[in-house]
């Protein structure tokens, strides 16, 4: 596809369950970013990948959150033992290089609701 | 602490009118400032990006200004259209951050007929 895609678009899960969110970046984009957008709040940086490597994981809210990227392309964000405060829209973005210098292109997001 | 503050939080204007949105930041050292438009249920889309040396940039009916001395930016929308209804987000990049962009909470603009 031409843009960043994310799946699923909506996910409702019960508290305590694990969820996996997927991001397909634009082909050729080496940098990939995950953000969280809670209701009424600005985007919160979670983690970024340069290739398959994540140099800075300090933005992940807790050790229940993890992310990986394989083949320099698809990335998955996994939330274990979900809590109600995890409910938010999770946005993925990709860019040709590091976002400080390159345009970021965002996906439509995954809306996660934890009941 | 690096922060980006936007005002107003929300704004309602009539179709055809102009408006100006404000952004103040404390990010240092500064690399660049971007304005994004986010339609409901969609990801943000870039409108403009300005570096330290640029003080104005236009994209159609959108004109952004930057005063790096006072750490202020504005986004002016001319002759608003119904399709301009969206959230407008100011984003500042810290030099050397390698990608950790700092987002404002956005201004929610509603354009009414």
């Amino acid at each position: 596809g031409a843009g960043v895609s994310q799946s699923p678009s909506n996910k409702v899960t019960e508290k305590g369950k694990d969820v996996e969110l997927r991001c397909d970046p634009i082909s050729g984009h080496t940098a990939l970013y995950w953000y969280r957008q809670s209701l009424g709040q600005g985007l919160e940086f979670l983690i970024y990948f340069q290739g398959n490597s994540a140099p800075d994981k300090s933005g992940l809210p807790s050790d229940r959150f993890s992310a990986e990227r394989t083949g320099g392309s698809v990335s998955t964000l996994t939330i274990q033992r979900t809590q109600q405060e995890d409910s938010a829209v999770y946005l993925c973005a990709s860019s040709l290089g590091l976002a400080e210098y390159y345009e970021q292109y965002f996906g439509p997001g995954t809306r996660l609701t934890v009941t | 602490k690096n922060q980006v503050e936007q005002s107003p939080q929300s704004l309602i204007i009539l179709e055809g009118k102009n408006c100006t949105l404000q952004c103040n930041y404390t990010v240092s050292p500064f690399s660049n400032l971007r304005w994004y438009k986010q339609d409901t249920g969609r990801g943000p889309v870039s409108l403009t990006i300005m570096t330290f040396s640029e003080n104005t940039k236009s994209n159609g009916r959108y004109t952004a200004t930057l005063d790096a001395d006072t750490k202020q930016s504005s986004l002016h929308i001319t002759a608003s259209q119904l399709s301009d209804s969206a959230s407008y987000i100011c984003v500042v990049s810290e030099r050397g951050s390698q990608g950790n962009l700092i987002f404002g909470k956005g201004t929610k603009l509603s354009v009414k007929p």
Side-chain angles (χ1 to χ4, degrees):
Chain A
V4 178
S5 60
Q6 293 185 247
S7 61
S9 55
N10 281 286
K11 176 72 175 178
V12 180
T13 190
E14 291 180 353
K15 178 181 172 181
K17 300 285 188 184
D18 297 352
V19 295
E20 192 173 275
L21 312 180
R22 176 186 168 109
C23 172
D24 279 273
I26 293 173
S27 178
H29 280 193
T30 60
L32 185 148
Y33 298 80
W34 283 98
Y35 297 93
R36 179 168 71 174
Q37 188 172 33
S38 302
L39 192 64
Q41 300 297 314
L43 272 74
E44 175 190 4
F45 167 80
L46 298 178
I47 191 170
Y48 83 94
F49 289 90
Q50 181 65 12
N52 293 335
S53 173
D56 182 5
K57 299 181 181 179
S58 63
L60 295 175
S62 75
D63 58 9
R64 296 185 294 105
F65 287 71
S66 63
E68 65 174 17
R69 188 180 186 196
T70 55
S73 181
V74 172
S75 176
T76 55
L77 177 69
T78 302
I79 309 173
Q80 295 179 309
R81 306 181 302 281
T82 52
Q83 303 294 313
Q84 288 186 328
E85 62 261 28
D86 299 334
S87 296
V89 175
Y90 289 82
L91 288 162
C92 173
S94 72
S95 55
L96 277 171
L98 292 173
E100 181 181 348
Y101 308 109
Y102 292 91
E103 187 60 70
Q104 274 193 328
Y105 296 87
F106 283 83
T110 292
R111 181 175 295 279
L112 175 66
T113 304
V114 182
T115 62
Chain B
K1 181 181 176 183
N2 287 330
Q3 286 188 311
V4 176
E5 303 283 346
Q6 292 188 244
S7 62
Q9 204 168 22
S10 62
L11 182 63
I12 300 174
I13 62 173
L14 293 177
E15 186 179 12
K17 297 296 187 183
N18 304 335
C19 67
T20 300
L21 315 179
Q22 301 292 342
C23 173
N24 296 334
Y25 62 92
T26 60
V27 178
S28 183
F30 174 85
S31 179
N32 57 64
L33 184 146
R34 310 164 194 218
W35 283 93
Y36 283 88
K37 177 186 179 187
Q38 186 175 22
D39 292 312
T40 301
R42 309 287 292 271
V45 174
S46 178
L47 295 175
T48 63
I49 178 169
M50 289 182 291
T51 59
F52 184 90
S53 59
E54 297 174 294
N55 55 23
T56 187
K57 185 163 278 190
S58 292
N59 178 358
R61 295 180 296 102
Y62 301 102
T63 299
T65 65
L66 172 66
D67 185 333
D69 291 332
T70 61
K71 298 186 178 181
Q72 296 180 324
S73 176
S74 66
L75 180 69
H76 186 74
I77 305 174
T78 305
S80 60
Q81 300 176 358
L82 298 178
S83 59
D84 292 334
S85 294
S87 285
Y88 291 83
I89 304 172
C90 177
V91 185
V92 181
S93 175
E94 180 184 359
R95 184 154 33 90
S97 66
Q98 298 193 1
N100 184 3
L101 305 181
I102 300 157
F103 290 75
K105 293 183 179 181
T107 292
K108 187 173 176 63
L109 174 67
S110 297
V111 181
K112 304 293 187 184

